[in-house]
Structures are given as structure tokens and as C-alpha cells.
């Protein structure tokens, strides 16, 4: 099955370069390009792509607001953010708005293509430790996310084991590390992760991690702390 991709970047040359790399793949096709967030929102609704490769900083409607609008719709596409700096408040806000991960703009072509395939399959593309470092750096002074308060009761739907797995996800552990911590199989961990994502109404580990911080299940790491 061919993955459909929308490429969003305000720099024409950069946008064309990413589009060319993606369109050259036999299992991917670029269905549209947008130079700003407003165009991205319109094309996302019109074209219904599987994945949007989204720039963060754009004039007019930025990538944060565009991502929030797009992911707030029914059956939204996955959003993969491209950014110049990995430790960036804009990236954190875009993840909070519903993006499934981020890559640096100087990423190798193979890594970009791998990232698109990963988010299309329902996972996040950034390493759990990178997620924790980013969120820990910016979460302290940010207002509560969309889940805090109204969806805090969702935690009551988790079993004790699922809640503990959530804290381990937020602390940066991958499935193999969680399995070793709990002395269970990786397959069992995957079952726990899938169950807690479903019960919490979040789509991936990135969103689950942000939720854990919002609801006080994870400790914010002070800026400058080494991971």
C-alpha cells in the first residue's frame, strides 16, 4: 500500500528537496506541498494524507497551530515535525499539539523515510530518552495540556501495572528496558502499552509521555540536567 505524504515548509527549495526524496520511494507518493500552516490545514482536509511532514516555524499560521487543528479532526493524519534544533520549545508545543515525533532538518534521507514509515504505522520516531529530555526541559513552565483535568479520570481505567508502565515510558525506557525492569516479556510490555494508550485515548508514546507529565506521574527534569 502506498503511503500518501503532504510536505509543509515555507522554504521552497527545502520543501522541494524533501518532496523529491519522498516521491522517489516506490511505497510513497507526495500528494501535495504547502508553504504555510493555513495551506497545510486546507490541503490536509482536501487530500487526507497518511503523513504530514511539518515545518514548525512558518509565517502566518505556524506548525504548532496547524498541527493542533489537523490532529483535532476525525481520523487525522500523522504529523512528523522537522526542526532545526532538537531541544526547542516550539517542538515541545508541537508534540503537545498532537505531532507524533520530530526529526532534525539535516536528517539523512534514509532516516527521514524510515521516520515517515514509522509514524504511518502508529509509532513515534524519536528515541524515548530524547522525548524525556525535551519534555523535561520545557514542561515545568507550560500550562497543562488538553488532557489535564477533564481526562485525569482516565487514569482510573488503568490497572496498577499499566500505570507503572506509563511511568516507565515517561522516564525514557523502551519496551526491552521495561521488560527487564518488570521481569516480563517484551510481548507482554507491548500488550500493556497498547492497552494503556487505548484507555487513555492517546495515539503513541510521545502523547502518553506528555500526559504523564501533565498529570504529575513523571518528574520534570530541571533545564540543564543531563540525561
Amino acid at each position: 500500500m502506498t503511503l500518501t505524504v503532504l510536505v509543509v515548509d515555507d522554504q521552497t527549495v527545502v520543501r522541494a528537496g524533501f518532496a523529491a526524496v519522498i516521491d522517489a520511494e516506490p511505497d510513497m507518493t507526495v500528494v501535495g506541498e504547502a508553504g504555510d500552516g493555513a495551506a497545510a490545514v486546507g490541503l490536509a482536509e482536501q487530500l487526507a494524507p497518511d503523513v504530514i511532514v511539518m515545518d514548525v516555524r512558518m509565517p502566518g499560521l505556524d506548525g504548532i497551530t496547524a498541527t493542533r487543528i489537523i490532529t483535532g479532526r476525525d481520523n487525522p493524519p500523522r504529523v512528523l515535525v522537522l526542526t532545526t534544533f532538537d531541544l526547542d520549545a516550539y517542538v515541545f508545543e508541537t508534540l503537545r499539539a498532537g505531532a507524533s515525533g520530530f526529526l532534525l532538518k539535516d536528517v539523512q534521507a534514509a532516516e527521514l523515510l524510515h521516520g515517515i514509515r514509522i509514524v504511518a504505522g502508529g509509532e513515534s520516531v524519536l528515541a524515548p530518552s530524547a522525548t524525556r529530555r525535551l519534555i523535561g526541559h520545557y514542561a515545568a513552565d507550560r500550562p497543562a495540556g488538553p488532557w489535564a483535568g477533564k481526562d485525569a479520570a482516565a487514569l482510573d481505567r488503568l490497572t496498577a501495572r499499566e500505570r507503572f508502565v506509563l511511568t516507565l515510558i515517561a522516564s525514557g525506557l523502551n519496551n526491552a528496558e521495561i521488560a527487564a525492569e518488570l521481569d516480563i516479556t517484551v510481548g507482554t510490555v507491548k500488550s500493556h502499552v497498547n492497552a494503556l494508550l487505548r484507555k487513555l485515548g492517546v495515539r503513541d508514546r510521545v502523547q502518553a509521555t506528555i500526559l504523564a507529565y501533565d498529570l504529575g506521574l513523571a518528574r520534570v527534569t530541571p533545564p540543564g540536567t543531563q540525561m
Side-chain angles (χ1 to χ4, degrees), residues 19 21 35 57 61 71 86 97 115 154 156 170 173 183 186 190 219 223:
V21 168
R57 305 188 188 195
L61 195 71
T71 60
D86 63 346
D156 294 336
L173 273 62
D183 195 24
V186 172
K190 290 180 179 179
R219 180 179 60 85

Side-chain angles (χ1 to χ4, degrees), residues 29-162:
T29 184
V30 175
V31 293
E33 299 180 32
D36 57 59
V41 169
L43 287 176
E45 184 171 22
Q46 176 186 342
L47 302 173
D50 298 310
V51 177
I52 299 177
V53 176
M54 178 78 76
D55 188 17
V56 177
R57 305 188 188 195
M58 296 180 289
L61 195 71
D62 61 25
I64 300 171
T65 307
T67 297
R68 184 175 294 111
I69 294 171
I70 291 167
T71 60
R73 294 171 173 168
D74 292 334
N75 300 313
R78 312 287 292 187
V79 177
L80 175 61
V81 175
L82 295 182
T83 181
T84 305
F85 305 104
D86 63 346
L87 195 58
D88 189 328
Y90 288 92
V91 178
F92 169 70
E93 295 297 348
T94 308
L95 294 175
R96 181 172 285 224
S100 295
F102 74 92
L103 293 171
L104 296 181
K105 279 193 172 183
D106 62 357
V107 66
Q108 295 295 313
E111 189 176 354
L112 171 63
L113 298 170
H114 178 68
I116 292 171
R117 293 185 179 102
I118 290 296
V119 298
E123 300 294 334
S124 55
V125 300
L126 63 168
S129 59
T131 310
R132 183 188 176 200
R133 180 167 62 92
L134 180 72
I135 294 171
H137 192 90
Y138 288 106
D141 299 323
R142 292 294 186 270
W147 307 282
K150 68 174 183 177
D151 286 341
L155 289 177
D156 294 336
R157 295 195 289 270
L158 301 184
T159 66
R161 177 53 62 93
E162 289 165 353

Side-chain angles (χ1 to χ4, degrees), residues 92 96 128-141 163-164 166-173 208-227:
F92 169 70
R96 181 172 285 224
S129 59
T131 310
R132 183 188 176 200
R133 180 167 62 92
L134 180 72
I135 294 171
H137 192 90
Y138 288 106
D141 299 323
R163 186 183 291 229
F164 189 50
L166 176 60
T167 66
L168 295 178
I169 290 172
S171 66
L173 273 62
T209 299
I210 295 174
L211 173 57
Y213 277 93
D214 280 343
L215 298 181
L217 294 181
R219 180 179 60 85
V220 172
T221 303
T225 299
Q226 297 297 316
M227 293 293 183

